[in-house]
Amino acid sequence: MCKRLSDATLCPSCAGTIREAGYGFLFKHRCPVCGNPVLDTSYACPFCSEGKLSYGPYGKTLASLIRRYKFGGERSLTPLLAGLYLPLLASIDSPLLLPIPCSREGYKRRGFDQMIVITSYLARKEGYLYLPLFAKRKGKQYKLLSKEQRFHGQTLQLTNSKRARKQFQQLIAAGYTAVLIDDVSTTGSTFHQAKELLKLHFNCETAIVVLTNA
Ligand SMILES: [Zn+2]
Ligand SMILES: [Zn+2]
């Protein structure tokens, strides 16, 4: 980020910059119920009201990290980015990570799905459970799709894998919390689709974890 030589992925000064870009640093108050950072305790906490957690506001630091990872293909940033989810996941009971798949264009461009890479890293290094339960397919019902979705011509669907669906059902029954995980939340329509699918097929509630909201 600063172009200075460093043995670590980030020099101490840049590591500090990232810490200071998070709500954990920016917000001095904590929600009395869940303990997550809130601007003011008189506002509804996004986690308690909508089950939504994000690392920090959309700003230069987070945006440039995500850009480098997604568009610059700097896969060495995986541990760093995965680490930003840890304080968020810590406040969820037995989280079961469900990565939101990237667009076909994105996959073609960089050759990897960043959220699959991040969640499998979290599974390997931190012991979290994850399940690739969603797939993006070419949408057919164009009339029902939003402008953004029509642009990509894609819609979110549950995986065809009966094994994955069954596994999901068993884990939810065992008390795991379904957690939709993505890097940037834009319009929220993908999350909406995902939530609806889970409600419809499994009658389960979901939490949402992102780095930032653009
Ligand atoms: Zn630096
Ligand atoms: Zn709360």
Side-chain angles (χ1 to χ4, degrees):
M1 289 170 73
C2 66
K3 314 278 188 244
R4 268 179 288 213
L5 284 172
S6 166
D7 286 333
T9 311
L10 290 179
C11 76
S13 143
C14 289
T17 305
I18 292 187
R19 197 175 52 84
E20 288 167 19
Y23 290 125
F25 178 85
L26 296 168
F27 289 172
K28 302 296 170 214
H29 299 280
R30 296 293 177 263
C31 168
V33 179
C34 67
N36 281 297
V38 282
L39 179 61
D40 194 295
T41 43
S42 56
Y43 288 100
C45 151
F47 185 61
C48 291
S49 58
E50 306 161 58
K52 193 167 179 182
L53 285 170
S54 44
Y55 180 79
Y58 189 79
K60 220 172 66 188
T61 310
L62 282 178
S64 84
L65 269 181
I66 296 168
R67 231 184 356 253
R68 274 160 174 264
Y69 192 57
K70 284 171 80 168
F71 305 110
E74 291 186 38
R75 279 184 76 160
S76 59
L77 291 175
T78 305
L80 174 72
L81 286 169
L84 301 182
Y85 290 95
L86 294 177
L88 310 178
L89 293 172
S91 58
I92 301 174
D93 281 336
S94 314
L96 167 59
L97 311 183
L98 307 172
I100 298 291
C102 70
S103 68
R104 287 164 167 235
E105 293 79 12
Y107 187 84
K108 271 186 203 154
R109 197 169 47 230
R110 63 188 157 259
F112 66 96
D113 183 324
Q114 77 275 9
M115 290 320 298
I116 299 280
V117 175
I118 286 177
T119 44
S120 52
Y121 181 89
L122 287 168
R124 217 167 51 241
K125 300 281 181 183
E126 304 290 338
Y128 283 106
L129 277 189
Y130 95 101
L131 202 58
L133 193 67
F134 296 103
K136 269 187 184 165
R137 307 250 164 70
K138 288 233 181 261
K140 284 182 191 118
Q141 299 160 293
Y142 281 98
K143 270 182 206 162
L144 300 174
L145 302 177
S146 72
K147 212 164 150 191
E148 189 206 29
Q149 291 164 334
R150 271 201 304 270
F151 176 72
H152 293 299
Q154 288 161 351
T155 183
L156 200 67
Q157 295 185 12
L158 284 177
T159 169
N160 281 329
S161 161
K162 283 199 180 119
R163 196 167 158 262
R165 288 177 181 225
K166 180 123 204 240
Q167 209 180 347
F168 179 73
Q169 219 155 18
Q170 286 167 342
L171 289 166
I172 294 302
Y176 277 87
T177 308
V179 179
L180 304 171
I181 181 166
D182 207 348
D183 48 10
V184 183
S185 157
T186 45
T187 60
S189 68
T190 305
F191 286 124
H192 185 72
Q193 280 184 43
K195 275 190 147 185
E196 293 287 293
L197 284 170
L198 294 185
K199 185 94 199 156
L200 187 73
H201 292 272
F202 305 99
N203 193 31
C204 80
E205 296 301 327
T206 42
I208 293 175
V209 168
V210 292
L211 291 181
T212 189
N213 301 283

